[in-house]
Amino acid sequence: MKKVILSMGFMLGMALMGQLKAQPGVTPDPSNPNAADIVFETELVDYGTIEHNADGNREFKFKNTGKEPLIISNCTGSCGCTVPTWPKEPIKPGETQSIKVHYATDRVGAFEKTVTVTSNAKSATKVLKIKGNVKPDPASTTPVAPGTTPAGTTPGTTPAPPKK
């Protein structure tokens, strides 16, 4: 019985220690007039209409306008198709840096995604947006001459849509 109680106590202690470690180390103090502050040149990047499998890399430029170093603790994309990369080192006051974003342009159609930035700035969380439209893959649509039947179909039937 003692072993069971000791085991449970040990596991509870480890769980509590894990919770203590999980707390973020850098928290903003909104009442601090010298706190870091992050100002983006733009909070929306519009890819426009782009080709299938085009370059999906863009960036959000920003400046630390505060008086203390800016520490970006995390950046997350709204889905797996949006992958941000951010500076891991503190950004000095007055310094300019950028958050790079890669969108998977193998996904056809219009898109609107977000990147959530977490930092020690006066506004601890900032949501950035990307949008655009990816054209269909030209290799997936083969033109058919008028009056002919697409390969693999029977005359008078509708061809199956291309596989995605």
Side-chain angles (χ1 to χ4, degrees):
M1 184 67 170
K2 282 184 182 181
K3 288 182 181 179
V4 171
I5 293 173
L6 285 173
S7 295
M8 292 172 100
F10 178 74
M11 291 182 355
L12 179 62
M14 293 302 287
L16 288 173
M17 292 207 35
Q19 287 296 320
L20 291 174
K21 284 185 178 180
Q23 300 300 320
V26 180
T27 55
D29 179 5
S31 65
N32 179 0
N34 295 323
D37 201 9
I38 189 167
V39 176
F40 287 89
E41 285 184 3
T42 182
E43 294 181 17
L44 170 68
V45 170
D46 188 350
Y47 283 62
T49 299
I50 57 176
E51 297 295 324
H52 184 261
N53 285 329
D55 179 16
N57 297 314
R58 301 293 188 273
E59 67 181 13
F60 290 94
K61 292 183 181 178
F62 66 88
K63 184 175 185 176
N64 178 3
T65 59
K67 295 181 181 175
E68 293 180 358
L70 171 68
I71 300 169
I72 298 175
S73 55
N74 197 18
C75 288
T76 53
S78 56
C79 75
C81 61
T82 307
V83 181
T85 306
W86 65 96
K88 306 298 190 260
E89 299 297 320
I91 296 102
K92 297 175 185 170
E95 189 176 20
T96 300
Q97 281 282 350
S98 66
I99 295 173
K100 294 172 177 47
V101 178
H102 176 79
Y103 178 73
T105 59
D106 59 339
R107 298 167 181 246
V108 175
F111 65 91
E112 287 188 28
K113 304 294 178 182
T114 61
V115 173
T116 303
V117 180
T118 306
S119 71
N120 68 329
K122 291 177 185 175
S123 297
T125 305
K126 183 66 90 171
V127 178
L128 307 172
K129 296 179 182 177
I130 63 171
K131 71 175 189 173
N133 187 26
V134 179
K135 291 181 180 179
D137 182 2
S140 70
T141 55
T142 307
V144 178
T148 62
T149 304
T153 63
T154 306
T157 63
T158 305
K163 293 181 181 179
K164 292 184 180 181

